[in-house]
Amino acid sequence: MIVETLAIGTELLLGQIVNSNAADIASRLADAGMTHYRQGVIGDNRDRMDDAIRYATGRCDALIMTGGIGPTADDVTRESVAAVAGVPLITDEAYIEEMRERWKARGREFPESNIRQAQRPAGAQVIPNRKGSAPGFRMEIDGCWVISLPGVPAEMLTMLDEEVMPFLRSVAGPGLGITESRMLRTWGMSEARVGEELDDLFRELENPTVAFLASAGEIKIRLTANAPTSEKAKEIIAPVEAEIRERLGSLVFGADEDTIETVLHRMLRGKGWTFGSAESATGGLIARRMTALGGASEVFRGSIVAYATDLKVGLLGVDASEVEQHGVVSEETALSMARGARASLGVDVAVAVTGSAGPEPMEQPVGTMIVAVVTPEGESVRTLMMPGDRERIRAYTATAALHMVRRAIEP
Amino acid sequence: MIVETLAIGTELLLGQIVNSNAADIASRLADAGMTHYRQGVIGDNRDRMDDAIRYATGRCDALIMTGGIGPTADDVTRESVAAVAGVPLITDEAYIEEMRERWKARGREFPESNIRQAQRPAGAQVIPNRKGSAPGFRMEIDGCWVISLPGVPAEMLTMLDEEVMPFLRSVAGPGLGITESRMLRTWGMSEARVGEELDDLFRELENPTVAFLASAGEIKIRLTANAPTSEKAKEIIAPVEAEIRERLGSLVFGADEDTIETVLHRMLRGKGWTFGSAESATGGLIARRMTALGGASEVFRGSIVAYATDLKVGLLGVDASEVEQHGVVSEETALSMARGARASLGVDVAVAVTGSAGPEPMEQPVGTMIVAVVTPEGESVRTLMMPGDRERIRAYTATAALHMVRRAIEP
């Protein structure tokens, strides 16, 4: 079952809105185990629409179109589908009456332009729209089911879930199977390196497939399997996941919805330890990320953002002469900050970050970031060289710091 | 000048990420007065990529491709463009050396697979990537400029603005005219309200056009003019900008690249005042935003993220009995926190935030956020009711808090 999507709307081509419909439809198709090779976007233009529909119907089993079925003159999806199908437009008088009643019930005057929404290609079946006044429709053209839905996400999604996906499943029949996917989250290795470690799996495996996705210093590994049942699909994924975990060890820190914040929160709660940070170069980024979780207060007590050097001394009890001797951007100072945070915040585990985030270097070359972790069981400190601009350096360092805390308290 | 975009990435077709790149590119093309008829999305598949590139090069003047140029085996954009152009891939030995040096500087082992990123179709020109290791490239195929950029938005956008748009403008020639746009930034009014205030301008003006964009509580007003020269375009914008500033007064806090952070930084530096924050519900978000600026230390000294109640007492000197009496989420506590931050951080201006950000209510209904500002000239405190989820509540409150500081120190 090969499905394509085609979004209609000049506002998409002007960059005024993002085509989130495409992603929502795509995830449904993936879950249903349907093949989705192409997405397209065109404007409210008859010629290009006819062209796109003809091209798509010639190569796929279903084409899901969004947009272009409103009441205004530039909504020409109905006309275009009818033209490609070689049928006239018919007008649904009953639906016109229904709309008139609805407007009357709301004490509003009925805009005659709405009548366009009661039209559809002859032979097309209506797809009711509970949330709006523009119904969708579907019709088969050259063995391809052309499905037309509104562009308004709330209306489109409801119709997709209630009408379109069940219909497509019935068309596809039982042969399709179920697709399950598993996302393994890793940190501590470049995408290139993860790719090398898993190259054979990536190349040889077809079910499950293995794909990589890099985001903010973390590399996600996605395993996608198709099978007659969800259980079977999961059984296909399990051994490959085990193999990858075997190869990458503690580089894999979580799966699916896990994030380093949720994983760390869970680990700390498990040990009954509280957590806090002393931040200079990251300026509160670590605190912000740990408090983004609801229920953060179970483990996170607070942070001292000591951006000015004298606050590192005043609030974190860092020894001024030590800063004098080693510098603000030094492993000694980072460690003192972490010890100080542990005391002043009254936490079991503290992480401290100091560094030179740019654009102007501070003591050390831009990108020199130092992270210290102090736990009831020991201390560790590491100097990182981070590439990129200030924003990237700070973000990646905050992620690295959270992972260093994880490593420090890992069994 | 007809331009199409083609995004490469199986994760897009699986609905795991939204194709925001397409909208960002589209808005640039619209600003430049270039015609954008189609957007496409395909997976990491050679056959379909070759097919899509051939089809597009046959009908447009430029094809902007995003994604598929990373180091892993599934990145095949380079191979596909070379195949369609009928040229071999060449390897840029100098760039390999450059990468090796960069990795060495970071004390990391160089992943050999990165060598793929030094390849490009013979005859293609490199588009440097300041923010990542995968350079882009451009080459002409059958009179169509095929431009290949990374899929990572931050990298893609920088290359688009610094290299690709200027190049496309030079290709298009002077006929397009010059488009200039001016972004006025407002805070304190709903989009609907701003729309009403400027409705006549929005409806009647065609050059410049007026558009509204809501983002995180701020409403941006975009004026876009097209003229033979940049000077003429700016002359067309100037009187409309003056009219809008006249109507909206101090709701307009900045223009173009200004942000509330840069504006506040400038104002504080002008007064020679230092700044700091005491954060509970926003958990470091204000500190993070103020320290995102290079040179932040000129005015920002630090923050005390007192997430646990006893830290509000211990580190901010909030009176425990007062918290007992009024609650943590109260204007009294917010004011004490701000006063405490002013003393312990040794700053002239302090802002404090406490509140109930959810998902579970804390003392007050979720969304009840309290912001207090203390300056050398006075104190102010305000209770806000913020809609949305925890993330939105925190983000909008941080923005509101920074604007309340601006209002407090405004002449």
Side-chain angles (χ1 to χ4, degrees):
Chain A
M1 185 79 178
I2 299 177
V3 185
E4 295 193 14
T5 61
L6 179 64
I8 319 289
T10 299
E11 66 276 18
L12 290 163
L13 295 179
L14 290 174
Q16 291 164 346
I17 57 174
V18 172
N19 186 12
S20 60
N21 284 345
D24 291 329
I25 297 170
S27 61
R28 263 85 168 172
L29 294 174
D31 292 346
M34 295 178 188
T35 306
H36 185 207
Y37 283 153
R38 295 180 181 83
Q39 295 170 351
V41 178
I42 54 173
D44 304 289
N45 171 284
R46 260 305 298 281
D47 295 341
R48 284 185 287 279
M49 205 182 301
D50 292 5
D51 182 51
I53 295 171
R54 250 187 226 104
Y55 192 55
T57 50
R59 67 186 175 196
C60 63
D61 306 309
L63 171 66
I64 301 177
M65 301 174 69
T66 55
I69 56 174
T72 60
D74 66 349
D75 294 303
V76 292
T77 302
R78 289 172 290 255
E79 287 79 354
S80 184
V81 173
V84 174
V87 300
L89 279 181
I90 57 124
T91 302
D92 185 335
E93 299 297 341
Y95 185 61
I96 294 179
E97 274 323 296
E98 191 185 318
M99 283 193 286
R100 288 191 189 282
E101 287 309 314
R102 226 186 292 162
W103 260 256
K104 210 161 114 198
R106 275 186 267 147
R108 299 251 200 83
E109 200 195 325
F110 181 71
E112 291 305 315
S113 59
N114 272 349
I115 289 175
R116 286 174 55 74
Q117 300 184 131
Q119 298 181 323
R120 61 178 180 267
Q125 292 137 291
V126 176
I127 302 175
N129 179 350
R130 287 201 291 106
K131 298 193 167 180
S133 58
F137 63 86
R138 65 169 184 250
M139 78 181 299
E140 197 168 5
I141 301 178
D142 305 335
C144 172
W145 279 99
V146 175
I147 293 159
S148 173
L149 301 174
V152 181
E155 300 176 20
M156 189 283 295
L157 275 178
T158 307
M159 295 161 79
L160 184 70
D161 291 334
E162 296 178 357
E163 304 281 337
V164 178
M165 292 311 299
F167 172 74
L168 289 180
R169 272 194 215 86
S170 71
V171 171
L176 209 51
I178 300 294
T179 297
E180 289 287 345
S181 72
R182 176 82 163 156
M183 184 83 82
L184 295 179
R185 298 173 181 272
T186 77
W187 179 84
M189 253 176 148
S190 70
E191 181 177 14
R193 175 52 63 74
V194 172
E196 281 171 18
E197 292 289 331
L198 307 178
D199 190 53
D200 55 327
L201 302 179
F202 174 76
R203 289 174 181 285
E204 291 153 25
L205 294 182
E206 285 177 350
N207 193 23
T209 55
V210 181
F212 310 113
L213 195 63
S215 64
E218 296 176 348
I219 309 298
K220 301 173 195 161
I221 302 165
R222 198 186 65 250
L223 305 178
T224 309
N226 182 274
T229 68
S230 170
E231 295 60 35
K232 285 259 181 310
K234 287 173 179 160
E235 284 170 24
I236 294 172
I237 289 173
V240 180
E241 171 173 354
E243 171 65 22
I244 292 174
R245 286 181 177 274
E246 171 69 29
R247 291 191 197 182
L248 300 184
S250 75
L251 289 170
V252 177
F253 69 88
D256 296 334
E257 298 315 306
D258 289 338
T259 63
I260 179 57
E261 292 90 337
T262 59
V263 168
L264 200 51
H265 185 97
R266 202 160 54 226
M267 291 172 78
L268 289 161
R269 208 180 47 206
K271 284 180 171 279
W273 284 351
T274 55
F275 179 48
S277 61
E279 307 187 49
S280 182
T282 48
L285 191 38
I286 293 171
R288 186 208 132 232
R289 286 180 56 170
M290 288 308 294
T291 57
L293 307 174
S297 55
E298 290 173 331
V299 300
F300 190 82
R301 282 177 49 78
S303 173
I304 291 172
V305 181
Y307 208 64
T309 302
D310 64 288
L311 290 181
K312 296 179 177 72
V313 176
L315 295 176
L316 291 168
V318 174
D319 184 331
S321 64
E322 187 183 83
V323 175
E324 196 58 46
Q325 184 191 342
H326 302 290
V328 173
V329 184
S330 67
E331 301 198 333
E332 291 78 2
T333 298
L335 265 174
S336 309
M337 286 171 68
R339 295 185 191 120
R342 208 165 165 249
S344 21
L345 295 172
V347 293
D348 301 299
V349 177
V351 63
V353 178
T354 178
S356 175
E360 294 310 312
M362 173 182 171
E363 295 181 9
Q364 301 293 326
V366 171
T368 311
M369 303 294 283
I370 303 172
V371 179
V373 179
V374 178
T375 78
E377 291 162 355
E379 302 185 333
S380 60
V381 60
R382 199 169 138 198
T383 299
L384 310 165
M385 284 307 305
M386 289 290 181
D389 60 11
R390 181 180 177 86
E391 183 184 355
R392 186 187 151 122
I393 289 169
R394 279 158 44 99
Y396 280 49
T397 302
T399 299
L402 294 174
H403 280 286
M404 284 177 62
V405 175
R406 169 178 66 92
R407 293 283 183 87
I409 65 179
E410 227 159 32
Chain B
M1 185 79 179
I2 299 177
V3 185
E4 295 193 15
T5 62
L6 180 64
I8 318 293
T10 300
E11 64 274 17
L12 290 162
L13 294 179
L14 291 170
Q16 292 167 341
I17 56 175
V18 172
N19 187 12
S20 60
N21 285 344
D24 291 329
I25 297 170
S27 62
R28 264 68 167 188
L29 295 174
D31 289 350
M34 295 176 188
T35 306
H36 185 207
Y37 283 154
R38 295 180 181 83
Q39 295 170 351
V41 178
I42 54 173
D44 305 289
N45 172 282
R46 261 305 299 282
D47 296 341
R48 284 183 289 279
M49 206 182 301
D50 293 5
D51 183 50
I53 295 171
R54 255 190 221 99
Y55 192 55
T57 50
R59 66 186 175 197
C60 63
D61 306 309
L63 171 66
I64 301 177
M65 301 174 68
T66 56
I69 57 174
T72 57
D74 63 345
D75 295 304
V76 293
T77 302
R78 288 171 289 255
E79 287 79 354
S80 185
V81 173
V84 174
V87 301
L89 279 181
I90 57 127
T91 302
D92 185 335
E93 298 298 340
Y95 185 62
I96 293 177
E97 273 324 294
E98 192 183 318
M99 283 193 286
R100 286 191 192 282
E101 288 309 315
R102 226 185 289 159
W103 260 256
K104 211 159 112 204
R106 272 186 270 149
R108 299 254 194 82
E109 198 192 326
F110 181 73
E112 291 305 316
S113 57
N114 269 350
I115 288 174
R116 289 175 54 74
Q117 300 185 132
Q119 297 182 322
R120 61 177 181 269
Q125 291 134 291
V126 177
I127 301 175
N129 180 349
R130 284 202 291 106
K131 297 194 165 182
S133 59
F137 63 86
R138 64 168 185 251
M139 78 182 299
E140 197 169 4
I141 301 178
D142 305 335
C144 171
W145 278 100
V146 175
I147 293 158
S148 173
L149 300 174
V152 181
E155 300 176 19
M156 188 283 294
L157 274 178
T158 307
M159 295 162 79
L160 183 70
D161 290 333
E162 295 178 358
E163 304 280 338
V164 177
M165 292 312 299
F167 172 74
L168 290 180
R169 270 191 220 91
S170 70
V171 170
L176 285 179
I178 301 294
T179 299
E180 288 289 343
S181 69
R182 177 80 163 155
M183 183 84 82
L184 296 179
R185 299 173 181 272
T186 77
W187 180 84
M189 236 175 162
S190 73
E191 182 174 18
R193 191 67 203 294
V194 172
E196 281 167 24
E197 292 288 332
L198 307 178
D199 188 53
D200 54 330
L201 303 179
F202 176 71
R203 289 174 180 286
E204 291 153 25
L205 294 181
E206 285 178 350
N207 194 22
T209 55
V210 181
F212 309 114
L213 197 61
S215 67
E218 296 175 350
I219 310 298
K220 301 174 195 160
I221 302 166
R222 198 140 148 294
L223 306 178
T224 309
N226 185 278
T229 68
S230 170
E231 293 60 36
K232 285 257 180 311
K234 287 173 179 161
E235 284 170 25
I236 294 173
I237 289 172
V240 180
E241 171 174 353
E243 171 65 22
I244 292 173
R245 286 181 177 274
E246 172 68 30
R247 292 190 195 182
L248 300 185
S250 78
L251 288 170
V252 177
F253 69 87
D256 295 335
E257 297 316 305
D258 287 340
T259 62
I260 180 57
E261 293 90 335
T262 59
V263 168
L264 199 51
H265 185 97
R266 204 158 54 225
M267 291 172 78
L268 288 161
R269 208 179 48 205
K271 286 181 169 278
W273 283 352
T274 56
F275 178 47
S277 61
E279 308 189 46
S280 182
T282 47
L285 190 39
I286 293 171
R288 186 210 134 231
R289 287 180 57 170
M290 288 309 294
T291 57
L293 308 174
S297 55
E298 290 172 334
V299 299
F300 190 81
R301 283 176 48 79
S303 174
I304 291 172
V305 180
Y307 207 64
T309 301
D310 64 289
L311 290 182
K312 296 179 178 71
V313 176
L315 295 176
L316 291 168
V318 174
D319 184 332
S321 64
E322 186 182 84
V323 176
E324 197 58 47
Q325 184 190 343
H326 302 289
V328 172
V329 184
S330 67
E331 300 197 335
E332 290 79 2
T333 299
L335 265 174
S336 309
M337 287 170 67
R339 294 185 193 120
R342 208 165 165 249
S344 17
L345 296 172
V347 293
D348 302 299
V349 178
V351 63
V353 178
T354 179
S356 175
E360 296 309 314
M362 172 182 171
E363 293 181 8
Q364 301 292 328
V366 171
T368 310
M369 303 295 282
I370 302 171
V371 179
V373 180
V374 178
T375 78
E377 292 162 354
E379 303 183 333
S380 59
V381 60
R382 203 170 134 196
T383 299
L384 310 165
M385 284 307 306
M386 290 290 181
D389 61 10
R390 180 180 178 87
E391 185 184 353
R392 186 189 150 116
I393 289 169
R394 280 159 42 98
Y396 280 51
T397 302
T399 301
L402 294 174
H403 280 285
M404 284 177 61
V405 175
R406 169 178 66 93
R407 293 283 182 87
I409 66 180
E410 234 161 24

